[in-house]
mmCIF file of all heavy atoms in Angstrom:
data_model
loop_
_atom_site.group_PDB
_atom_site.id
_atom_site.type_symbol
_atom_site.label_atom_id
_atom_site.label_comp_id
_atom_site.label_asym_id
_atom_site.label_seq_id
_atom_site.Cartn_x
_atom_site.Cartn_y
_atom_site.Cartn_z
ATOM 1 N N ALA A 17 74.789 153.568 128.723
ATOM 2 C CA ALA A 17 76.102 153.936 128.229
ATOM 3 C C ALA A 17 76.474 155.330 128.696
ATOM 4 O O ALA A 17 75.592 156.132 129.047
ATOM 5 C CB ALA A 17 76.116 153.890 126.687
ATOM 6 N N THR A 18 77.762 155.620 128.703
ATOM 7 C CA THR A 18 78.291 156.912 129.113
ATOM 8 C C THR A 18 79.029 157.565 127.967
ATOM 9 O O THR A 18 79.799 156.915 127.269
ATOM 10 C CB THR A 18 79.270 156.756 130.313
ATOM 11 O OG1 THR A 18 78.600 156.059 131.359
ATOM 12 C CG2 THR A 18 79.716 158.120 130.825
ATOM 13 N N ALA A 19 78.783 158.852 127.782
ATOM 14 C CA ALA A 19 79.484 159.655 126.772
ATOM 15 C C ALA A 19 80.339 160.728 127.506
ATOM 16 O O ALA A 19 79.962 161.149 128.592
ATOM 17 C CB ALA A 19 78.493 160.314 125.839
ATOM 18 N N ARG A 20 81.412 161.110 126.855
ATOM 19 C CA ARG A 20 82.355 162.083 127.489
ATOM 20 C C ARG A 20 81.961 163.520 127.307
ATOM 21 O O ARG A 20 82.470 164.387 128.039
ATOM 22 C CB ARG A 20 83.747 161.836 126.929
ATOM 23 C CG ARG A 20 84.319 160.477 127.327
ATOM 24 C CD ARG A 20 85.737 160.315 126.835
ATOM 25 N NE ARG A 20 85.817 160.203 125.374
ATOM 26 C CZ ARG A 20 85.718 159.069 124.700
ATOM 27 N NH1 ARG A 20 85.522 157.933 125.335
ATOM 28 N NH2 ARG A 20 85.830 159.071 123.405
ATOM 29 N N SER A 21 81.124 163.816 126.331
ATOM 30 C CA SER A 21 80.753 165.208 126.028
ATOM 31 C C SER A 21 79.435 165.213 125.261
ATOM 32 O O SER A 21 78.926 164.146 124.866
ATOM 33 C CB SER A 21 81.855 165.840 125.161
ATOM 34 O OG SER A 21 81.948 165.177 123.905
ATOM 35 N N VAL A 22 78.891 166.402 125.024
ATOM 36 C CA VAL A 22 77.643 166.509 124.245
ATOM 37 C C VAL A 22 77.854 165.990 122.831
ATOM 38 O O VAL A 22 77.014 165.197 122.335
ATOM 39 C CB VAL A 22 77.075 167.931 124.275
ATOM 40 C CG1 VAL A 22 75.897 168.050 123.308
ATOM 41 C CG2 VAL A 22 76.648 168.311 125.700
ATOM 42 N N PRO A 23 78.920 166.386 122.116
ATOM 43 C CA PRO A 23 79.119 165.822 120.779
ATOM 44 C C PRO A 23 79.243 164.289 120.789
ATOM 45 O O PRO A 23 78.716 163.614 119.914
ATOM 46 C CB PRO A 23 80.391 166.482 120.255
ATOM 47 C CG PRO A 23 80.473 167.769 121.039
ATOM 48 C CD PRO A 23 79.908 167.437 122.377
ATOM 49 N N HIS A 24 79.945 163.776 121.803
ATOM 50 C CA HIS A 24 80.087 162.317 121.913
ATOM 51 C C HIS A 24 78.727 161.668 122.196
ATOM 52 O O HIS A 24 78.419 160.617 121.626
ATOM 53 C CB HIS A 24 81.113 161.991 123.004
ATOM 54 C CG HIS A 24 81.481 160.554 123.075
ATOM 55 N ND1 HIS A 24 81.560 159.863 124.275
ATOM 56 C CD2 HIS A 24 81.777 159.647 122.126
ATOM 57 C CE1 HIS A 24 81.907 158.627 124.023
ATOM 58 N NE2 HIS A 24 82.049 158.449 122.725
ATOM 59 N N LEU A 25 77.928 162.274 123.034
ATOM 60 C CA LEU A 25 76.601 161.798 123.361
ATOM 61 C C LEU A 25 75.755 161.657 122.074
ATOM 62 O O LEU A 25 75.153 160.615 121.815
ATOM 63 C CB LEU A 25 75.933 162.759 124.335
ATOM 64 C CG LEU A 25 74.589 162.445 124.902
ATOM 65 C CD1 LEU A 25 74.708 161.418 126.030
ATOM 66 C CD2 LEU A 25 73.904 163.688 125.421
ATOM 67 N N ASN A 26 75.760 162.704 121.259
ATOM 68 C CA ASN A 26 75.013 162.670 120.020
ATOM 69 C C ASN A 26 75.579 161.647 119.021
ATOM 70 O O ASN A 26 74.830 160.963 118.330
ATOM 71 C CB ASN A 26 74.963 164.064 119.395
ATOM 72 C CG ASN A 26 74.048 164.989 120.178
ATOM 73 O OD1 ASN A 26 72.916 164.641 120.488
ATOM 74 N ND2 ASN A 26 74.540 166.167 120.519
ATOM 75 N N SER A 27 76.893 161.540 118.974
ATOM 76 C CA SER A 27 77.536 160.599 118.078
ATOM 77 C C SER A 27 77.211 159.153 118.472
ATOM 78 O O SER A 27 76.937 158.312 117.609
ATOM 79 C CB SER A 27 79.062 160.829 118.105
ATOM 80 O OG SER A 27 79.690 159.909 117.257
ATOM 81 N N VAL A 28 77.237 158.855 119.752
ATOM 82 C CA VAL A 28 76.889 157.495 120.222
ATOM 83 C C VAL A 28 75.433 157.204 119.866
ATOM 84 O O VAL A 28 75.138 156.133 119.367
ATOM 85 C CB VAL A 28 77.135 157.369 121.745
ATOM 86 C CG1 VAL A 28 76.543 156.071 122.265
ATOM 87 C CG2 VAL A 28 78.625 157.442 122.052
ATOM 88 N N PRO A 54 72.249 168.420 126.301
ATOM 89 C CA PRO A 54 71.631 167.252 126.973
ATOM 90 C C PRO A 54 72.623 166.492 127.854
ATOM 91 O O PRO A 54 73.809 166.421 127.540
ATOM 92 C CB PRO A 54 71.194 166.366 125.793
ATOM 93 C CG PRO A 54 72.100 166.735 124.687
ATOM 94 C CD PRO A 54 72.410 168.208 124.863
ATOM 95 N N ASP A 55 72.127 166.025 128.954
ATOM 96 C CA ASP A 55 72.907 165.163 129.868
ATOM 97 C C ASP A 55 72.529 163.714 129.669
ATOM 98 O O ASP A 55 73.239 162.822 130.127
ATOM 99 C CB ASP A 55 72.637 165.517 131.330
ATOM 100 C CG ASP A 55 73.314 166.850 131.725
ATOM 101 O OD1 ASP A 55 74.376 167.137 131.182
ATOM 102 O OD2 ASP A 55 72.756 167.531 132.595
ATOM 103 N N ILE A 68 71.743 156.908 127.148
ATOM 104 C CA ILE A 68 73.086 157.394 126.968
ATOM 105 C C ILE A 68 73.263 158.644 127.808
ATOM 106 O O ILE A 68 72.557 159.643 127.597
ATOM 107 C CB ILE A 68 73.386 157.698 125.495
ATOM 108 C CG1 ILE A 68 73.006 156.503 124.616
ATOM 109 C CG2 ILE A 68 74.877 158.061 125.310
ATOM 110 C CD1 ILE A 68 72.917 156.798 123.150
ATOM 111 N N PHE A 69 74.133 158.577 128.780
ATOM 112 C CA PHE A 69 74.333 159.654 129.740
ATOM 113 C C PHE A 69 75.682 160.320 129.578
ATOM 114 O O PHE A 69 76.654 159.678 129.202
ATOM 115 C CB PHE A 69 74.340 159.083 131.170
ATOM 116 C CG PHE A 69 73.049 158.563 131.689
ATOM 117 C CD1 PHE A 69 72.753 157.204 131.611
ATOM 118 C CD2 PHE A 69 72.124 159.398 132.256
ATOM 119 C CE1 PHE A 69 71.563 156.711 132.097
ATOM 120 C CE2 PHE A 69 70.924 158.924 132.759
ATOM 121 C CZ PHE A 69 70.651 157.572 132.679
ATOM 122 N N ARG A 70 75.767 161.579 129.973
ATOM 123 C CA ARG A 70 77.058 162.172 130.271
ATOM 124 C C ARG A 70 77.431 161.653 131.667
ATOM 125 O O ARG A 70 76.562 161.298 132.450
ATOM 126 C CB ARG A 70 76.969 163.701 130.221
ATOM 127 C CG ARG A 70 76.814 164.168 128.765
ATOM 128 C CD ARG A 70 76.658 165.635 128.594
ATOM 129 N NE ARG A 70 77.796 166.373 129.125
ATOM 130 C CZ ARG A 70 77.761 167.661 129.400
ATOM 131 N NH1 ARG A 70 76.642 168.336 129.214
ATOM 132 N NH2 ARG A 70 78.811 168.278 129.872
ATOM 133 N N ALA A 71 78.706 161.578 131.970
ATOM 134 C CA ALA A 71 79.177 160.901 133.189
ATOM 135 C C ALA A 71 78.495 161.440 134.444
ATOM 136 O O ALA A 71 78.085 160.661 135.306
ATOM 137 C CB ALA A 71 80.695 161.027 133.295
ATOM 138 N N GLU A 72 78.388 162.748 134.577
ATOM 139 C CA GLU A 72 77.805 163.330 135.799
ATOM 140 C C GLU A 72 76.352 162.919 135.953
ATOM 141 O O GLU A 72 75.897 162.650 137.067
ATOM 142 C CB GLU A 72 77.919 164.875 135.759
ATOM 143 C CG GLU A 72 79.309 165.418 135.577
ATOM 144 C CD GLU A 72 79.772 165.408 134.117
ATOM 145 O OE1 GLU A 72 78.949 165.352 133.173
ATOM 146 O OE2 GLU A 72 81.009 165.392 133.920
ATOM 147 N N TRP A 92 80.750 146.192 128.897
ATOM 148 C CA TRP A 92 81.950 146.587 128.191
ATOM 149 C C TRP A 92 82.396 147.947 128.700
ATOM 150 O O TRP A 92 81.565 148.826 128.895
ATOM 151 C CB TRP A 92 81.668 146.664 126.683
ATOM 152 C CG TRP A 92 82.870 147.003 125.868
ATOM 153 C CD1 TRP A 92 83.926 146.185 125.615
ATOM 154 C CD2 TRP A 92 83.146 148.243 125.245
ATOM 155 N NE1 TRP A 92 84.833 146.845 124.830
ATOM 156 C CE2 TRP A 92 84.388 148.118 124.590
ATOM 157 C CE3 TRP A 92 82.473 149.466 125.158
ATOM 158 C CZ2 TRP A 92 84.979 149.146 123.859
ATOM 159 C CZ3 TRP A 92 83.048 150.487 124.431
ATOM 160 C CH2 TRP A 92 84.255 150.317 123.795
ATOM 161 N N LYS A 93 83.654 148.069 128.961
ATOM 162 C CA LYS A 93 84.176 149.351 129.440
ATOM 163 C C LYS A 93 85.314 149.763 128.537
ATOM 164 O O LYS A 93 86.273 149.012 128.325
ATOM 165 C CB LYS A 93 84.678 149.233 130.880
ATOM 166 C CG LYS A 93 85.179 150.547 131.423
ATOM 167 C CD LYS A 93 85.498 150.499 132.879
ATOM 168 C CE LYS A 93 85.977 151.889 133.316
ATOM 169 N NZ LYS A 93 86.045 152.062 134.709
ATOM 170 N N ASN A 94 85.209 150.979 128.016
ATOM 171 C CA ASN A 94 86.270 151.541 127.194
ATOM 172 C C ASN A 94 87.204 152.314 128.119
ATOM 173 O O ASN A 94 86.799 153.273 128.753
ATOM 174 C CB ASN A 94 85.652 152.481 126.147
ATOM 175 C CG ASN A 94 86.679 153.023 125.202
ATOM 176 O OD1 ASN A 94 87.780 152.533 125.098
ATOM 177 N ND2 ASN A 94 86.316 154.090 124.501
ATOM 178 N N GLU A 95 88.427 151.866 128.206
ATOM 179 C CA GLU A 95 89.410 152.546 129.033
ATOM 180 C C GLU A 95 89.877 153.808 128.343
ATOM 181 O O GLU A 95 90.346 153.763 127.216
ATOM 182 C CB GLU A 95 90.593 151.624 129.322
ATOM 183 C CG GLU A 95 90.224 150.347 130.035
ATOM 184 C CD GLU A 95 89.688 150.561 131.445
ATOM 185 O OE1 GLU A 95 90.068 151.564 132.076
ATOM 186 O OE2 GLU A 95 88.896 149.738 131.880
ATOM 187 N N GLU A 96 89.749 154.954 129.003
ATOM 188 C CA GLU A 96 90.212 156.220 128.451
ATOM 189 C C GLU A 96 91.735 156.245 128.467
ATOM 190 O O GLU A 96 92.370 155.717 129.339
ATOM 191 C CB GLU A 96 89.663 157.401 129.262
ATOM 192 C CG GLU A 96 88.183 157.566 129.046
ATOM 193 C CD GLU A 96 87.670 158.842 129.659
ATOM 194 O OE1 GLU A 96 88.414 159.855 129.579
ATOM 195 O OE2 GLU A 96 86.588 158.859 130.214
ATOM 196 N N LYS A 97 92.276 156.878 127.443
ATOM 197 C CA LYS A 97 93.732 156.962 127.318
ATOM 198 C C LYS A 97 94.261 158.289 127.735
ATOM 199 O O LYS A 97 93.636 159.260 127.724
ATOM 200 C CB LYS A 97 94.149 156.669 125.895
ATOM 201 C CG LYS A 97 93.771 155.261 125.523
ATOM 202 C CD LYS A 97 94.124 154.977 124.093
ATOM 203 C CE LYS A 97 93.666 153.557 123.782
ATOM 204 N NZ LYS A 97 93.946 153.059 122.526
#
Side-chain angles (χ1 to χ4, degrees):
T18 305
R20 294 183 292 271
S21 63
V22 172
H24 189 225
L25 184 79
N26 288 311
S27 179
V28 169
D55 286 329
I68 309 165
F69 291 96
R70 288 178 59 198
E72 304 81 21
W92 182 73
K93 182 173 181 166
N94 184 17
E95 300 295 332
E96 289 189 38
K97 297 178 182 184

